[in-house]
PDB file of all heavy atoms in Angstrom:
ATOM      1  N   VAL K  33     -21.470  13.573   9.877  1.00 85.00           N
ATOM      2  CA  VAL K  33     -21.938  14.094   8.588  1.00 85.00           C
ATOM      3  C   VAL K  33     -23.420  14.432   8.661  1.00 85.00           C
ATOM      4  O   VAL K  33     -23.877  15.459   8.141  1.00 85.00           O
ATOM      5  CB  VAL K  33     -21.675  13.058   7.471  1.00 85.00           C
ATOM      6  CG1 VAL K  33     -22.309  13.502   6.159  1.00 85.00           C
ATOM      7  CG2 VAL K  33     -20.174  12.855   7.287  1.00 85.00           C
ATOM      8  N   PHE K  34     -24.183  13.575   9.318  1.00 80.00           N
ATOM      9  CA  PHE K  34     -25.612  13.807   9.477  1.00 80.00           C
ATOM     10  C   PHE K  34     -25.874  15.111  10.233  1.00 80.00           C
ATOM     11  O   PHE K  34     -26.753  15.898   9.852  1.00 80.00           O
ATOM     12  CB  PHE K  34     -26.221  12.618  10.213  1.00 80.00           C
ATOM     13  CG  PHE K  34     -27.629  12.828  10.691  1.00 80.00           C
ATOM     14  CD1 PHE K  34     -28.669  12.931   9.792  1.00 80.00           C
ATOM     15  CD2 PHE K  34     -27.908  12.920  12.048  1.00 80.00           C
ATOM     16  CE1 PHE K  34     -29.974  13.132  10.231  1.00 80.00           C
ATOM     17  CE2 PHE K  34     -29.199  13.117  12.493  1.00 80.00           C
ATOM     18  CZ  PHE K  34     -30.236  13.213  11.584  1.00 80.00           C
ATOM     19  N   LEU K  35     -25.108  15.362  11.287  1.00 80.00           N
ATOM     20  CA  LEU K  35     -25.281  16.598  12.054  1.00 80.00           C
ATOM     21  C   LEU K  35     -24.981  17.821  11.184  1.00 80.00           C
ATOM     22  O   LEU K  35     -25.700  18.824  11.226  1.00 80.00           O
ATOM     23  CB  LEU K  35     -24.370  16.594  13.278  1.00 80.00           C
ATOM     24  CG  LEU K  35     -24.678  15.566  14.367  1.00 80.00           C
ATOM     25  CD1 LEU K  35     -23.662  15.678  15.496  1.00 80.00           C
ATOM     26  CD2 LEU K  35     -26.091  15.754  14.911  1.00 80.00           C
ATOM     27  N   VAL K  36     -23.905  17.728  10.386  1.00 87.00           N
ATOM     28  CA  VAL K  36     -23.546  18.850   9.512  1.00 87.00           C
ATOM     29  C   VAL K  36     -24.645  19.100   8.488  1.00 87.00           C
ATOM     30  O   VAL K  36     -25.089  20.238   8.278  1.00 87.00           O
ATOM     31  CB  VAL K  36     -22.202  18.580   8.820  1.00 87.00           C
ATOM     32  CG1 VAL K  36     -21.894  19.678   7.807  1.00 87.00           C
ATOM     33  CG2 VAL K  36     -21.083  18.495   9.851  1.00 87.00           C
ATOM     34  N   LEU K  37     -25.100  18.030   7.838  1.00 87.00           N
ATOM     35  CA  LEU K  37     -26.131  18.183   6.812  1.00 87.00           C
ATOM     36  C   LEU K  37     -27.457  18.654   7.411  1.00 87.00           C
ATOM     37  O   LEU K  37     -28.206  19.397   6.769  1.00 87.00           O
ATOM     38  CB  LEU K  37     -26.325  16.860   6.066  1.00 87.00           C
ATOM     39  CG  LEU K  37     -25.146  16.411   5.198  1.00 87.00           C
ATOM     40  CD1 LEU K  37     -25.426  15.045   4.573  1.00 87.00           C
ATOM     41  CD2 LEU K  37     -24.854  17.441   4.106  1.00 87.00           C
ATOM     42  N   ALA K  38     -27.753  18.209   8.639  1.00 81.00           N
ATOM     43  CA  ALA K  38     -28.999  18.641   9.271  1.00 81.00           C
ATOM     44  C   ALA K  38     -29.009  20.145   9.515  1.00 81.00           C
ATOM     45  O   ALA K  38     -30.081  20.777   9.515  1.00 81.00           O
ATOM     46  CB  ALA K  38     -29.198  17.901  10.591  1.00 81.00           C
ATOM     47  N   ARG K  39     -27.840  20.731   9.704  1.00 81.00           N
ATOM     48  CA  ARG K  39     -27.766  22.174   9.921  1.00 81.00           C
ATOM     49  C   ARG K  39     -27.725  22.949   8.608  1.00 81.00           C
ATOM     50  O   ARG K  39     -28.067  24.132   8.570  1.00 81.00           O
ATOM     51  CB  ARG K  39     -26.540  22.515  10.770  1.00 81.00           C
ATOM     52  CG  ARG K  39     -26.670  22.055  12.221  1.00 81.00           C
ATOM     53  CD  ARG K  39     -25.477  22.486  13.062  1.00 81.00           C
ATOM     54  NE  ARG K  39     -25.708  22.174  14.475  1.00 81.00           N
ATOM     55  CZ  ARG K  39     -26.339  22.959  15.339  1.00 81.00           C
ATOM     56  NH1 ARG K  39     -26.818  24.120  14.925  1.00 81.00           N
ATOM     57  NH2 ARG K  39     -26.488  22.601  16.596  1.00 81.00           N
ATOM     58  N   LEU K  40     -27.316  22.281   7.528  1.00 86.00           N
ATOM     59  CA  LEU K  40     -27.204  22.957   6.235  1.00 86.00           C
ATOM     60  C   LEU K  40     -28.450  22.817   5.376  1.00 86.00           C
ATOM     61  O   LEU K  40     -28.679  23.634   4.478  1.00 86.00           O
ATOM     62  CB  LEU K  40     -25.992  22.410   5.455  1.00 86.00           C
ATOM     63  CG  LEU K  40     -24.610  22.680   6.052  1.00 86.00           C
ATOM     64  CD1 LEU K  40     -23.541  21.956   5.258  1.00 86.00           C
ATOM     65  CD2 LEU K  40     -24.330  24.186   6.072  1.00 86.00           C
ATOM     66  N   LEU K  41     -29.247  21.780   5.649  1.00 85.00           N
ATOM     67  CA  LEU K  41     -30.398  21.486   4.799  1.00 85.00           C
ATOM     68  C   LEU K  41     -31.704  21.687   5.561  1.00 85.00           C
ATOM     69  O   LEU K  41     -31.721  21.730   6.790  1.00 85.00           O
ATOM     70  CB  LEU K  41     -30.307  20.053   4.271  1.00 85.00           C
ATOM     71  CG  LEU K  41     -29.033  19.707   3.496  1.00 85.00           C
ATOM     72  CD1 LEU K  41     -29.039  18.236   3.110  1.00 85.00           C
ATOM     73  CD2 LEU K  41     -28.896  20.582   2.253  1.00 85.00           C
ATOM     74  N   ALA K  42     -32.785  21.742   4.819  1.00 81.00           N
ATOM     75  CA  ALA K  42     -34.111  21.972   5.397  1.00 81.00           C
ATOM     76  C   ALA K  42     -34.816  20.642   5.656  1.00 81.00           C
ATOM     77  O   ALA K  42     -34.495  19.626   5.025  1.00 81.00           O
ATOM     78  CB  ALA K  42     -34.943  22.817   4.445  1.00 81.00           C
ATOM     79  N   PRO K  43     -35.792  20.610   6.565  1.00 78.00           N
ATOM     80  CA  PRO K  43     -36.571  19.391   6.782  1.00 78.00           C
ATOM     81  C   PRO K  43     -37.204  18.847   5.505  1.00 78.00           C
ATOM     82  O   PRO K  43     -37.324  17.635   5.330  1.00 78.00           O
ATOM     83  CB  PRO K  43     -37.637  19.833   7.798  1.00 78.00           C
ATOM     84  CG  PRO K  43     -36.985  20.943   8.551  1.00 78.00           C
ATOM     85  CD  PRO K  43     -36.142  21.663   7.543  1.00 78.00           C
ATOM     86  N   ASP K  44     -37.613  19.736   4.579  1.00 80.00           N
ATOM     87  CA  ASP K  44     -38.210  19.279   3.328  1.00 80.00           C
ATOM     88  C   ASP K  44     -37.232  18.441   2.512  1.00 80.00           C
ATOM     89  O   ASP K  44     -37.633  17.489   1.828  1.00 80.00           O
ATOM     90  CB  ASP K  44     -38.665  20.477   2.497  1.00 80.00           C
ATOM     91  CG  ASP K  44     -39.949  21.097   3.037  1.00 80.00           C
ATOM     92  OD1 ASP K  44     -40.401  20.668   4.120  1.00 80.00           O
ATOM     93  OD2 ASP K  44     -40.476  22.010   2.384  1.00 80.00           O
ATOM     94  N   ASP K  45     -35.934  18.774   2.565  1.00 84.00           N
ATOM     95  CA  ASP K  45     -34.929  17.996   1.834  1.00 84.00           C
ATOM     96  C   ASP K  45     -34.848  16.569   2.371  1.00 84.00           C
ATOM     97  O   ASP K  45     -34.782  15.605   1.603  1.00 84.00           O
ATOM     98  CB  ASP K  45     -33.549  18.667   1.940  1.00 84.00           C
ATOM     99  CG  ASP K  45     -33.519  20.042   1.278  1.00 84.00           C
ATOM    100  OD1 ASP K  45     -34.213  20.212   0.262  1.00 84.00           O
ATOM    101  OD2 ASP K  45     -32.804  20.927   1.777  1.00 84.00           O
ATOM    102  N   PHE K  46     -34.865  16.446   3.696  1.00 82.00           N
ATOM    103  CA  PHE K  46     -34.817  15.114   4.297  1.00 82.00           C
ATOM    104  C   PHE K  46     -36.108  14.346   4.038  1.00 82.00           C
ATOM    105  O   PHE K  46     -36.093  13.130   3.857  1.00 82.00           O
ATOM    106  CB  PHE K  46     -34.556  15.227   5.806  1.00 82.00           C
ATOM    107  CG  PHE K  46     -33.131  15.512   6.158  1.00 82.00           C
ATOM    108  CD1 PHE K  46     -32.669  16.809   6.258  1.00 82.00           C
ATOM    109  CD2 PHE K  46     -32.231  14.474   6.368  1.00 82.00           C
ATOM    110  CE1 PHE K  46     -31.351  17.079   6.576  1.00 82.00           C
ATOM    111  CE2 PHE K  46     -30.907  14.734   6.692  1.00 82.00           C
ATOM    112  CZ  PHE K  46     -30.468  16.030   6.796  1.00 82.00           C
ATOM    113  N   GLY K  47     -37.229  15.063   4.018  1.00 80.00           N
ATOM    114  CA  GLY K  47     -38.485  14.397   3.719  1.00 80.00           C
ATOM    115  C   GLY K  47     -38.517  13.855   2.309  1.00 80.00           C
ATOM    116  O   GLY K  47     -38.988  12.731   2.062  1.00 80.00           O
ATOM    117  N   LEU K  48     -37.992  14.614   1.347  1.00 84.00           N
ATOM    118  CA  LEU K  48     -37.963  14.179  -0.048  1.00 84.00           C
ATOM    119  C   LEU K  48     -37.060  12.972  -0.233  1.00 84.00           C
ATOM    120  O   LEU K  48     -37.416  11.997  -0.907  1.00 84.00           O
ATOM    121  CB  LEU K  48     -37.488  15.338  -0.931  1.00 84.00           C
ATOM    122  CG  LEU K  48     -37.777  15.229  -2.434  1.00 84.00           C
ATOM    123  CD1 LEU K  48     -39.271  15.220  -2.684  1.00 84.00           C
ATOM    124  CD2 LEU K  48     -37.119  16.397  -3.176  1.00 84.00           C
ATOM    125  N   ILE K  49     -35.876  13.004   0.377  1.00 86.00           N
ATOM    126  CA  ILE K  49     -34.953  11.883   0.218  1.00 86.00           C
ATOM    127  C   ILE K  49     -35.473  10.649   0.948  1.00 86.00           C
ATOM    128  O   ILE K  49     -35.178   9.511   0.554  1.00 86.00           O
ATOM    129  CB  ILE K  49     -33.540  12.256   0.721  1.00 86.00           C
ATOM    130  CG1 ILE K  49     -32.468  11.421  -0.012  1.00 86.00           C
ATOM    131  CG2 ILE K  49     -33.391  12.043   2.211  1.00 86.00           C
ATOM    132  CD1 ILE K  49     -32.315  11.758  -1.457  1.00 86.00           C
ATOM    133  N   ALA K  50     -36.269  10.839   2.001  1.00 80.00           N
ATOM    134  CA  ALA K  50     -36.848   9.696   2.705  1.00 80.00           C
ATOM    135  C   ALA K  50     -37.796   8.929   1.790  1.00 80.00           C
ATOM    136  O   ALA K  50     -37.808   7.691   1.781  1.00 80.00           O
ATOM    137  CB  ALA K  50     -37.589  10.163   3.960  1.00 80.00           C
TER     138      ALA K  50
END
Side-chain angles (χ1 to χ4, degrees):
V33 173
F34 168 69
L35 293 179
V36 174
L37 292 177
R39 290 184 173 274
L40 295 174
L41 303 176
D44 284 7
D45 296 326
F46 282 89
L48 198 64
I49 207 69

